[in-house]
């Protein structure tokens, strides 16, 4: 599933060259979560209900659910008969209502049978079984997508304001031939925002308009939140910080970009690809007869080294310390590279052999990678810190005690405690078991074992006389 390229991306591989991204200092590895039993997964998310279940969207029209501690998904919802799947079409997005634990509402984003129109629909969880959904459907909005099969977008998500956001692509083909992205009366090539709360039964359409959407009361479609998108296949809200909306907008021949989406913003397509004028004789770039004001991407990368199609990800807010807190992780579909944007710099985290179609965020903020062969893997740090204190039997910090760290191969490292009994081991490889012991002339200490999976573990010792 190449998002917004068709054959164009393969031509671009041999034409465009440019600079490489830097190598970062953060080291990660991918730990298998699910390696079999899935068919074309494209997205995964939690319900936000405290259950820690994960729900996997399969492109063909099925949503699977995985219980905590299990790697065997079961079917939550099957709408295969309603979905037109293949290429960039299919069941692409899922969003649980912020009050899902109370109201059981969730929303899906798919291309429908038979015409391939984009549809957002509402469903409810079954009252009899929390791991099965009711198959009755309520259509929220239908966006015609005639002419071409590509550029369907794919994300639906609730913002911190409680409104529902979606990102239909520009309608497909190359160069946005209908100029949908810059047409404020058209929903294709936009980020849209809907109010799906407090809608009277039977009202058509099945949503209200947030009153500060930019075209309310003036020329333009009321549903539009921002314009000038090519194919915002994956976007996400930062769950911390300023709760910004980060969108990976798939480029055409030259540039892949990430935008911070704001109310009323114009992100340039089809006039700009990233910060570069598309030079399609529109005479609309800055300085031309019909210039547009647009918001440039927060960052971008070119198609050097075989890169061709961005897969947007998430801002990391996990407690495990797998990535720098507040950094943004994303990937390129063609190369399998996983990138990090941190401190205003792009770097390559890991170069994989996967075709990465999506990322996922669990309830604790840890991030997963979804491959187009049906694999889902969790990102963890490959190097960790182990810290702690060594105490006397009376609870005082013990100075000059020796803490011994032994790995699974019998290799030892030693650290001497400082004032108040503190010790620390840095750059410890993860994903293995360690044994820690303390040597002291006066006190005896019980050894400790540690299965090190995350970035930071704190282990304390109390002496016995």
């Amino acid at each position: 599933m190449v998002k917004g390229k068709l054959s164009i991306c393969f031509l671009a591989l041999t034409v465009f060259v440019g600079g490489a991204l830097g190598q970062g200092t953060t080291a990660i590895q991918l730990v298998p979560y699910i390696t079999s039993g899935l068919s074309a997964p494209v997205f995964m998310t939690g319900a936000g209900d405290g259950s820690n279940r994960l729900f996997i969207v399969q492109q063909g029209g099925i949503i699977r659910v995985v219980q905590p501690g299990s790697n065997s998904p079961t079917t939550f919802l099957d709408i295969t008969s309603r979905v037109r799947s293949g290429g960039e079409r299919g069941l692409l997005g899922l969003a649980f209502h912020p009050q899902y634990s109370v109201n059981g509402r969730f929303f899906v984003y798919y291309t429908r049978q038979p015409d391939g129109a984009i549809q957002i629909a509402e469903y409810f969880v079954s009252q009899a079984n929390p791991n099965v959904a009711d198959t009755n459907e309520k259509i929220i909005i239908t966006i015609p997508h005639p002419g071409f099969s590509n550029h369907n977008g794919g994300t639906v998500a609730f913002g911190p304001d409680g409104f529902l956001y979606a990102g239909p692509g520009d309608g497909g083909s190359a160069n946005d031939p209908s100029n949908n992205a810059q047409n404020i009366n058209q929903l294709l090539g936009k980020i849209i925002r809907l109010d799906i709360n407090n809608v009277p039964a039977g009202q058509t359409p099945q949503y209200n308009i947030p009153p500060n959407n930019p075209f309310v009361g003036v020329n333009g479609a009321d549903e539009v939140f921002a314009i000038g998108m090519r194919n915002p296949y994956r976007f996400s809200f930062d769950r911390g910080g300023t709760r910004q909306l980060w969108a990976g907008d798939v480029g055409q021949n030259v540039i892949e970009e990430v935008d911070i989406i704001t109310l009323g913003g114009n992100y340039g397509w089809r006039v700009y690809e990233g910060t570069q004028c598309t030079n399609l004789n529109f005479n609309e770039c800055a300085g031309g007869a019909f210039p547009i004001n647009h918001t440039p991407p927060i960052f971008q990368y070119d198609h050097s080294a075989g890169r061709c199609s961005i897969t947007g990800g998430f801002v990391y807010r996990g407690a495990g310390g797998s990535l720098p807190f507040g950094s943004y992780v994303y990937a390129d579909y063609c190369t399998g590279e996983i990138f990090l944007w941190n401190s205003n710099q792009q770097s390559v985290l890991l170069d994989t052999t996967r075709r990465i179609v999506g990322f996922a965020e669990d309830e604790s903020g840890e991030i997963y990678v979804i491959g187009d062969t049906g694999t889902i893997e969790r990102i963890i740090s490959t190097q960790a810190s182990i810290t702690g204190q060594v105490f006397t039997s009376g609870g005082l910090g013990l100075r000059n005690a020796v803490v011994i760290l032994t790995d699974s191969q019998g290799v030892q490292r030693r650290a001497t405690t400082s004032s108040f009994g503190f010790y620390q081991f840095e750059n410890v490889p993860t994903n293995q078991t360690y044994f820690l012991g303390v040597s002291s002339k006066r006190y005896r200490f019980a050894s400790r074992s540690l299965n090190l999976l995350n970035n930071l573990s704190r282990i304390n010792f109390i002496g016995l006389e």
Side-chain angles (χ1 to χ4, degrees):
M1 178 181 177
V2 180
K3 301 137 347 262
K5 287 293 186 289
L6 296 182
S7 61
I8 296 170
C9 71
F10 303 107
L11 294 174
L13 302 186
T14 61
V15 174
F16 294 100
V17 295
L21 281 74
Q23 294 292 327
T25 57
T26 300
I28 65 166
Q29 61 182 334
L30 302 181
V31 175
Y33 177 62
I34 297 177
T35 58
S36 62
L38 297 176
S39 176
V42 292
F43 186 65
M44 184 173 75
T45 188
D49 60 355
S51 69
N52 293 312
R53 296 173 297 169
L54 288 170
F55 295 79
I56 303 164
V57 176
Q58 296 186 162
Q59 187 177 0
I62 297 176
I63 298 174
R64 313 291 295 279
V65 59
V66 184
Q67 305 299 322
S70 171
N71 60 359
S72 299
T74 58
T75 296
F76 178 68
L77 176 68
D78 185 345
I79 58 170
T80 304
S81 63
R82 297 168 180 165
V83 174
R84 184 170 184 178
S85 180
E88 295 179 26
R89 290 169 165 168
L91 177 59
L92 303 175
L94 168 65
F96 289 90
H97 193 280
Q99 283 78 52
Y100 175 76
S101 62
V102 176
N103 61 31
R105 303 172 70 189
F106 66 95
F107 298 79
V108 298
Y109 183 111
Y110 65 90
T111 51
R112 73 176 183 186
Q113 290 279 21
D115 61 350
I118 295 169
Q119 199 143 268
I120 299 174
E122 179 180 13
Y123 289 83
F124 285 82
V125 68
S126 167
Q127 295 184 0
N129 185 344
N131 295 308
V132 176
D134 190 324
T135 58
N136 290 318
E137 177 184 68
K138 181 172 75 173
I139 304 301
I140 301 300
I141 190 171
T142 300
I143 302 172
H145 194 280
F148 305 99
S149 64
N150 58 332
H151 300 188
N152 296 275
T155 300
V156 60
F158 281 94
D161 53 14
F163 297 132
L164 189 66
Y165 291 71
D170 67 5
S173 187
N175 302 318
D176 189 9
S178 297
N179 197 25
N180 289 322
Q182 291 297 319
N183 182 351
I184 61 175
N185 295 296
Q186 169 63 255
L187 297 186
L188 295 173
K190 310 294 188 299
I191 299 295
I192 65 172
R193 182 173 67 160
L194 310 176
D195 180 358
I196 51 79
N197 297 303
N198 305 310
V199 180
Q203 173 181 306
T204 301
Q206 293 290 319
Y207 59 87
N208 292 320
I209 299 295
N212 67 332
N213 275 6
F215 300 114
V216 172
V218 297
N219 183 42
D222 290 350
E223 295 88 350
V224 171
F225 182 81
I227 74 171
M229 311 302 298
R230 183 175 183 270
N231 190 30
Y233 168 66
R234 288 292 173 236
F235 65 78
S236 63
F237 287 93
D238 182 357
R239 62 165 59 189
T242 57
R243 308 293 301 277
Q244 290 175 310
L245 173 54
W246 294 65
D249 197 11
V250 179
Q252 182 163 277
N253 292 335
V254 181
I255 292 172
E256 306 299 310
E257 68 181 86
V258 172
D259 301 299
I260 300 295
I261 306 297
T262 58
L263 180 68
N266 182 348
Y267 294 88
W269 181 253
R270 66 181 182 178
V271 181
Y272 290 91
E273 184 180 0
T275 57
Q276 179 170 315
C277 179
T278 55
N279 293 322
L280 294 173
N281 298 316
F282 296 146
N283 203 24
E284 294 168 344
C285 292
F290 304 102
I292 67 166
N293 293 318
H294 82 291
T295 301
I298 186 172
F299 62 89
Q300 62 187 35
Y301 67 87
D302 64 25
H303 285 185
S304 60
R307 299 167 183 138
C308 81
S309 182
I310 190 169
T311 301
F314 291 88
V315 174
Y316 181 72
R317 299 291 180 183
S322 302
L323 297 167
F325 198 71
S327 60
Y328 179 75
V329 62
Y330 55 105
D332 189 86
Y333 175 84
C334 288
T335 63
E337 293 167 294
I338 299 174
F339 304 125
L340 191 73
W341 173 257
N342 186 39
S343 300
N344 295 319
Q345 182 174 355
Q346 293 188 82
S347 61
V348 179
L349 276 176
L350 190 66
D351 191 358
T352 78
T353 59
R354 296 151 184 80
R355 298 274 191 169
I356 296 172
V357 297
F359 289 88
E361 186 182 46
D362 65 19
E363 290 194 16
S364 66
E366 297 305 317
I367 294 179
Y368 300 73
V369 176
I370 304 170
D372 71 349
T373 59
T375 61
I376 299 179
E377 298 163 292
R378 182 180 175 184
I379 293 177
I380 67 170
S381 175
T382 60
Q383 294 183 332
S385 298
I386 301 175
T387 64
Q389 283 181 273
V390 177
F391 297 98
T392 68
S393 58
L396 299 177
L398 180 62
R399 185 178 182 180
N400 292 328
V402 177
V403 182
I404 304 167
L405 175 69
T406 306
D407 69 14
S408 57
Q409 304 300 314
V411 178
Q412 291 187 343
R413 296 168 61 178
R414 295 169 181 258
T416 302
T417 57
S418 63
S419 300
F420 307 107
F422 290 101
Y423 75 91
Q424 183 168 340
F425 295 97
E426 290 284 2
N427 301 319
V428 181
T430 59
N431 205 29
Q432 61 178 290
T433 299
Y434 292 89
F435 292 91
L436 289 96
V438 178
S439 174
S440 169
K441 294 180 179 180
R442 179 175 177 181
Y443 299 96
R444 294 178 292 110
F445 295 88
S447 297
R448 304 282 297 276
S449 64
L450 169 66
N451 185 16
L452 188 60
L453 296 176
N454 292 319
N455 186 43
L456 181 65
S457 292
R458 183 174 180 83
I459 304 295
N460 294 336
F461 296 87
I462 300 178
L464 300 173
E465 293 195 65

